[in-house]
Every structure is written in structure tokens, then in C-alpha cells.
Amino acid sequence: QMCIRDRVSTQSTWGNIQLAKNIKMVKAKKAGRTLEPVTRDYTVNLHRLCHSIQFKKKAPRAIKSIVQFAQQQMLTEDVRIDTALNQYVWSKGIRNLPRRVRVRMSRKKNEDDEGKGKFYTLVQHIPVDDFKGLQTQRNTGK
């Protein structure tokens, strides 16, 4: 039997992400904005996203959380994780995650005809020494 605290914490994390994703996509469709290629840098707090997750599911859940965060921020269904980011998340094993990770999310035009949409998001790892004072940055280059 699951206690109330476990049920609430599990539902709140995934429910909030899903709710925010749906709200943002609906707002984008209502506004009638057309998506354009863009690149942004984010800091993702894996410690918060994977709190109270079973040890043997932490690294896979962290990857899924990054994918959901990218879908929410970039408004694309197709999210591709770079191998360097995957290796960084798994670098300390399946259960000892890095607390935070700095990522560069690039929304790009989809060249494949059978793709999910017109755009896809490429998520890459940015090595940083310290996370203090970092904010979301919009990149024009690269």
C-alpha cells in the first residue's frame, strides 16, 4: 500500500511537468506563432526531478525528465539526446546522478519527411565548472 506522501510526490513531479507542457503547447497554438530555429542554454536540476525515485531507475528517469523538459521549453515532440549528455548523466552510475547539468537546446528544422513534426530539438551537454549565477541564455551563433 502506497502512503499519501509517496503518491503526492510522484504525481506532483510528473503531473506538473505534463500540465505545464500541455498549457504551453496550447498557448503556442492559440497565439498562432510559427516556430523558428532557436538555441538556448538551460540548467536542469536532476536532483529535484529524480527525488524519491528508486535507485535502479534514477538515470533512465533523468534522461526522460530532460526529454520532457526539452519538449516543454522548445514545443517539439521530437527530442534527440546527444551521446555526450547521455554519458555525463550515466557517468556516476545508475543511482548516483550529477545534481545539475547544463544543456544547450537547439530547435532545428526536420529534414526527414516521415518525422513527427517540422522541427526537432537537439539537447547537448555544456561542461561547466560552477553552476552559480547561470541563467537561461539565448544563443544566436552556432
Side-chain angles (χ1 to χ4, degrees):
Q1 188 176 20
M2 189 182 242
C3 75
I4 293 173
R5 182 185 57 82
D6 293 338
R7 191 166 12 131
V8 170
S9 66
T10 305
Q11 289 175 349
S12 64
T13 304
W14 288 100
N16 290 344
I17 291 173
Q18 193 65 26
L19 180 65
K21 174 183 160 188
N22 292 340
I23 290 172
K24 199 161 193 174
M25 287 191 179
V26 167
K27 283 183 181 177
K29 288 180 183 176
K30 281 186 180 178
R33 291 182 290 170
T34 57
L35 295 178
E36 297 176 357
V38 68
T39 302
R40 296 189 198 117
D41 294 346
Y42 292 98
T43 300
V44 180
N45 188 347
L46 298 177
H47 186 71
R48 179 178 58 85
L49 292 173
C50 296
H51 177 69
S52 74
I53 301 299
Q54 182 179 332
F55 274 161
K56 294 297 182 179
K57 297 182 180 182
K58 275 200 173 203
R61 180 66 67 92
I63 297 294
K64 290 176 189 172
S65 299
I66 292 171
V67 168
Q68 281 196 341
F69 181 77
Q71 287 174 344
Q72 172 188 345
Q73 295 299 321
M74 300 305 249
L75 304 176
T76 60
E77 290 295 319
D78 188 7
V79 176
R80 301 173 189 178
I81 301 290
D82 190 40
T83 55
L85 175 59
N86 191 40
Q87 286 177 351
Y88 178 74
V89 171
W90 283 83
S91 64
K92 295 169 73 176
I94 194 167
R95 65 185 204 168
N96 299 314
L97 297 177
R99 291 227 168 188
R100 289 178 176 83
V101 61
R102 186 77 173 169
V103 294
R104 174 167 289 145
M105 295 185 189
S106 304
R107 186 190 308 137
K108 298 184 177 186
K109 286 236 184 229
N110 200 355
E111 302 297 330
D112 300 333
D113 292 335
E114 64 272 348
K116 292 182 182 177
K118 295 180 181 178
F119 290 92
Y120 70 93
T121 301
L122 177 64
V123 185
Q124 298 172 313
H125 177 241
I126 303 173
V128 293
D129 295 331
D130 192 17
F131 292 98
K132 302 286 185 195
L134 292 177
Q135 294 182 343
T136 300
Q137 295 177 349
R138 184 180 212 134
N139 293 337
T140 55
K142 199 173 186 183

